[in-house]
Amino acid sequence: MTDEKLLAEIAAFIGQEAMHSKAHAEFNDAWRSDDYNLDRFQAWLARKDRYVKNLHPKIQLAITCAFEHFTALLGGYILRHPEVLSTLDDDAIKLWVWHAIEEIEHRAVAFDVYQHVYGDDKIRRMIMRSVTTGFASLTFYSATRLFLQDKKKSLPKVGGNVFGIYLLGKMFVQLVPEYLSYYKAGFHPAEIDYSKIVGYWKTRLSEDYQFEGFQDHQTQILYS
Ligand SMILES: [Fe+2]
Ligand SMILES: [Fe+2]
């Protein structure tokens, strides 16, 4: 890959993730006004963020590669199994589908930069192992805390809870092969093909939800 092409992809990646952070912040604000207190998690995350920013750039980049693998996998799963979004309203579905598509689109950018600059598979795998443990425990911990904050309403919904746990379990089991592919020698994120499912959802977003074009949307972000 040429340096110019990679630089353009990095710029697009930054633009997309900047928009995601904004969307996450708005989504969290909408939640905050409900029953959920997110401040403690956010303070905890800010501390982690400060810690990560002091690590060697190689490690920071390897962490990004690991997270990008997770977000692409989860994005792909959402698009293939939209039933996981069935309890959400149209706006929230749009938000998650849009995010999922962008995670898939830019899944190889950090990876390509890492390979270009460092190309150290040993560290890449090692960091993936620690990110996996950290990410899994954080997700489990925060989901449990949020569930308990809302326990008066959420506990009595036994059927819904059992179904939710079933959906999550099914997702983890089905994602194992794609997750493990990251540890293979010569792995590249582009080898997981999402073209058909992404094409399907892009059409649905524009037809069913009159969602603006992805490229136009991105150009606006980059040059506004
Ligand atoms: Fe994102
Ligand atoms: Fe991403």
Side-chain angles (χ1 to χ4, degrees), residues 44 67 70 74 128-144 168 172 179:
W44 185 87
F67 270 108
F70 274 119
L74 293 171
M128 180 49 122
R129 279 191 282 273
S130 11
V131 166
T132 304
T133 344
F135 189 44
S137 34
L138 168 70
T139 310
F140 182 73
Y141 171 75
S142 36
T144 313
L168 273 177
F172 288 131
Y179 165 74

Coordinates of all heavy atoms in Angstrom, one line a residue, residues 44 67 70 74 128-144 168 172 179:
W44 N -13.6 6.1 35.5 CA -12.7 4.9 35.5 C -12.0 4.9 34.1 O -10.8 4.7 34.0 CB -13.5 3.7 35.7 CG -12.6 2.4 35.8 CD1 -12.0 1.9 36.9 CD2 -12.3 1.5 34.7 NE1 -11.3 0.8 36.6 CE2 -11.5 0.5 35.3 CE3 -12.7 1.5 33.4 CZ2 -11.0 -0.5 34.5 CZ3 -12.2 0.4 32.6 CH2 -11.4 -0.6 33.2
F67 N -8.6 -3.5 19.6 CA -10.0 -3.0 19.7 C -10.7 -3.0 18.4 O -11.9 -3.3 18.3 CB -10.0 -1.7 20.4 CG -10.1 -1.8 21.9 CD1 -9.0 -1.5 22.7 CD2 -11.3 -2.2 22.5 CE1 -9.1 -1.6 24.1 CE2 -11.4 -2.3 23.9 CZ -10.3 -2.0 24.7
F70 N -12.1 -6.3 17.6 CA -13.4 -6.5 18.3 C -14.5 -5.7 17.7 O -15.6 -6.3 17.6 CB -13.2 -6.1 19.8 CG -12.6 -7.2 20.7 CD1 -11.4 -6.9 21.3 CD2 -13.3 -8.4 20.8 CE1 -10.9 -7.9 22.1 CE2 -12.7 -9.4 21.6 CZ -11.5 -9.1 22.3
L74 N -17.9 -7.4 16.3 CA -19.2 -7.1 16.8 C -20.1 -6.4 15.8 O -21.3 -6.7 15.7 CB -19.1 -6.2 18.1 CG -18.4 -6.9 19.3 CD1 -18.1 -5.9 20.4 CD2 -19.2 -8.0 19.8
M128 N -3.3 -8.4 22.3 CA -4.7 -8.9 22.1 C -5.1 -9.7 23.3 O -6.3 -9.6 23.7 CB -4.8 -9.7 20.8 CG -6.2 -10.3 20.5 SD -7.5 -9.0 20.7 CE -8.2 -9.1 19.1
R129 N -4.2 -10.5 23.9 CA -4.6 -11.3 25.0 C -5.0 -10.4 26.2 O -6.0 -10.6 26.9 CB -3.5 -12.3 25.4 CG -3.5 -13.5 24.5 CD -2.5 -14.6 25.1 NE -1.1 -14.3 24.8 CZ -0.5 -14.6 23.6 NH1 -1.2 -15.3 22.7 NH2 0.7 -14.3 23.4
S130 N -4.2 -9.4 26.5 CA -4.5 -8.5 27.6 C -5.7 -7.7 27.3 O -6.6 -7.5 28.2 CB -3.4 -7.6 28.1 OG -2.3 -7.6 27.2
V131 N -5.9 -7.2 26.1 CA -7.1 -6.4 25.8 C -8.3 -7.3 25.9 O -9.4 -6.8 26.4 CB -7.0 -5.8 24.3 CG1 -8.4 -5.3 23.9 CG2 -6.0 -4.7 24.3
T132 N -8.2 -8.5 25.5 CA -9.4 -9.5 25.6 C -9.8 -9.6 27.1 O -11.0 -9.5 27.4 CB -9.0 -10.9 25.1 OG1 -8.6 -10.7 23.7 CG2 -10.3 -11.8 25.1
T133 N -8.9 -9.8 28.0 CA -9.2 -10.0 29.4 C -9.8 -8.7 29.9 O -10.8 -8.7 30.6 CB -8.0 -10.4 30.2 OG1 -6.9 -10.8 29.4 CG2 -8.3 -11.4 31.3
G134 N -9.1 -7.6 29.6 CA -9.6 -6.3 30.1 C -11.0 -5.9 29.6 O -11.9 -5.6 30.4
F135 N -11.2 -6.1 28.3 CA -12.4 -5.7 27.7 C -13.6 -6.6 28.2 O -14.7 -6.2 28.5 CB -12.3 -5.9 26.2 CG -13.4 -5.4 25.3 CD1 -14.0 -4.1 25.6 CD2 -13.9 -6.1 24.2 CE1 -15.0 -3.6 24.8 CE2 -14.9 -5.6 23.4 CZ -15.4 -4.4 23.7
A136 N -13.3 -7.9 28.3 CA -14.3 -8.9 28.8 C -14.7 -8.6 30.2 O -15.9 -8.5 30.5 CB -13.8 -10.3 28.7
S137 N -13.7 -8.3 31.1 CA -14.1 -8.1 32.5 C -14.8 -6.7 32.6 O -15.8 -6.6 33.4 CB -12.9 -8.2 33.4 OG -11.8 -7.8 32.8
L138 N -14.4 -5.7 31.9 CA -15.0 -4.4 31.9 C -16.5 -4.5 31.5 O -17.4 -4.0 32.1 CB -14.3 -3.4 31.1 CG -15.1 -2.1 30.9 CD1 -15.1 -1.2 32.2 CD2 -14.4 -1.2 29.8
T139 N -16.7 -5.2 30.4 CA -18.0 -5.3 29.8 C -18.9 -6.1 30.8 O -20.1 -5.6 31.1 CB -18.0 -6.1 28.5 OG1 -17.0 -5.5 27.7 CG2 -19.3 -6.1 27.8
F140 N -18.4 -7.2 31.4 CA -19.2 -7.9 32.3 C -19.5 -7.1 33.6 O -20.7 -7.0 34.0 CB -18.5 -9.2 32.7 CG -19.2 -10.1 33.7 CD1 -20.3 -10.8 33.2 CD2 -18.9 -10.2 35.0 CE1 -21.1 -11.6 34.1 CE2 -19.7 -10.9 35.9 CZ -20.7 -11.7 35.4
Y141 N -18.5 -6.4 34.1 CA -18.7 -5.6 35.3 C -19.7 -4.5 35.0 O -20.6 -4.3 35.8 CB -17.3 -5.0 35.7 CG -17.4 -4.0 36.8 CD1 -17.6 -4.4 38.1 CD2 -17.2 -2.6 36.5 CE1 -17.7 -3.4 39.1 CE2 -17.3 -1.7 37.5 CZ -17.5 -2.1 38.8 OH -17.6 -1.2 39.8
S142 N -19.5 -3.7 33.9 CA -20.4 -2.6 33.7 C -21.8 -3.0 33.4 O -22.8 -2.4 33.8 CB -19.8 -1.6 32.7 OG -19.2 -2.3 31.6
A143 N -22.0 -4.1 32.6 CA -23.3 -4.6 32.3 C -24.0 -5.0 33.6 O -25.2 -4.7 33.8 CB -23.3 -5.8 31.3
T144 N -23.3 -5.7 34.5 CA -23.9 -6.1 35.8 C -24.3 -4.9 36.6 O -25.4 -4.8 37.2 CB -22.9 -7.0 36.6 OG1 -22.4 -8.0 35.7 CG2 -23.6 -7.7 37.7
L168 N -26.5 -13.4 23.9 CA -25.1 -13.0 24.2 C -24.2 -14.3 24.0 O -23.2 -14.2 23.4 CB -25.0 -12.5 25.6 CG -25.2 -11.0 25.7 CD1 -25.1 -10.6 27.2 CD2 -24.2 -10.2 24.9
F172 N -21.1 -14.9 21.4 CA -19.7 -15.2 21.8 C -19.3 -16.5 21.1 O -18.2 -16.6 20.5 CB -19.6 -15.4 23.3 CG -19.7 -14.1 24.0 CD1 -20.5 -13.9 25.1 CD2 -18.9 -13.0 23.5 CE1 -20.6 -12.7 25.8 CE2 -19.0 -11.7 24.2 CZ -19.8 -11.6 25.3
Y179 N -12.6 -14.4 16.0 CA -11.7 -13.8 17.1 C -10.3 -14.5 17.0 O -9.3 -13.8 17.0 CB -12.3 -14.0 18.5 CG -11.3 -13.7 19.6 CD1 -10.9 -12.5 19.9 CD2 -10.8 -14.8 20.3 CE1 -10.0 -12.2 20.9 CE2 -9.8 -14.6 21.3 CZ -9.4 -13.3 21.6 OH -8.5 -13.1 22.5

